[in-house]
Amino acid sequence: MIGNIVKVIVDRPLGSVHPKYKNHFYPINYGYVEGIIAPDGEEQDVYILGVDTPVGEFTGKVIAIIHRLDDVEDKWVAAPENMTFTKREIADAVHFQEQYFNYELIM
């Protein structure tokens, strides 16, 4: 999957709040890939890096996979095709949500 181009429907744009946890906001755009079903039965979730404004959809390259060790689903990380990020930069960007899980970052 890493290196593939995906179209992400953004349902939690940068600056929005979590629908259930109102004190949890999104410092990056977050969405899903329509038609790809993850192990949790929902469409595949994707973090979007390198886009500093809220967007409704995004097409970019999968640059990493967050494999949760204590959950049934993985999260994908996508970015514009011409951008790269280090493992540390990715971990810092997704910490707002991934801090609650044990995971490995696959690049």
Side-chain angles (χ1 to χ4, degrees):
M1 181 46 52
I2 294 176
N4 287 3
I5 303 300
V6 294
K7 179 181 174 186
V8 181
I9 307 301
V10 177
D11 58 350
R12 297 179 193 169
L14 183 149
S16 65
V17 296
H18 191 281
K20 291 181 184 173
Y21 308 104
K22 299 302 181 189
N23 63 344
H24 187 81
F25 83 99
Y26 285 80
I28 59 177
N29 290 290
Y30 178 84
Y32 61 91
V33 177
E34 202 168 46
I36 297 180
I37 304 302
D40 67 350
E42 301 289 330
E43 290 173 306
Q44 178 62 55
D45 293 325
V46 182
Y47 294 110
I48 300 169
L49 302 185
V51 178
D52 297 330
T53 59
V55 296
E57 61 181 48
F58 169 79
T59 300
K61 181 170 60 172
V62 177
I63 60 167
I65 296 172
I66 295 171
H67 174 64
R68 288 182 172 173
L69 303 173
D70 51 1
D71 195 16
V72 298
E73 65 177 321
D74 292 341
K75 305 288 186 178
W76 295 354
V77 180
E81 289 185 64
N82 61 342
M83 295 184 85
T84 60
F85 293 88
T86 65
K87 278 190 173 187
R88 175 78 333 215
E89 289 171 325
I90 294 170
D92 288 348
V94 302
H95 179 75
F96 74 99
Q97 185 159 280
E98 295 304 318
Q99 66 183 317
Y100 305 109
F101 300 92
N102 293 312
Y103 69 91
E104 63 181 339
L105 185 56
I106 302 165
M107 295 182 71

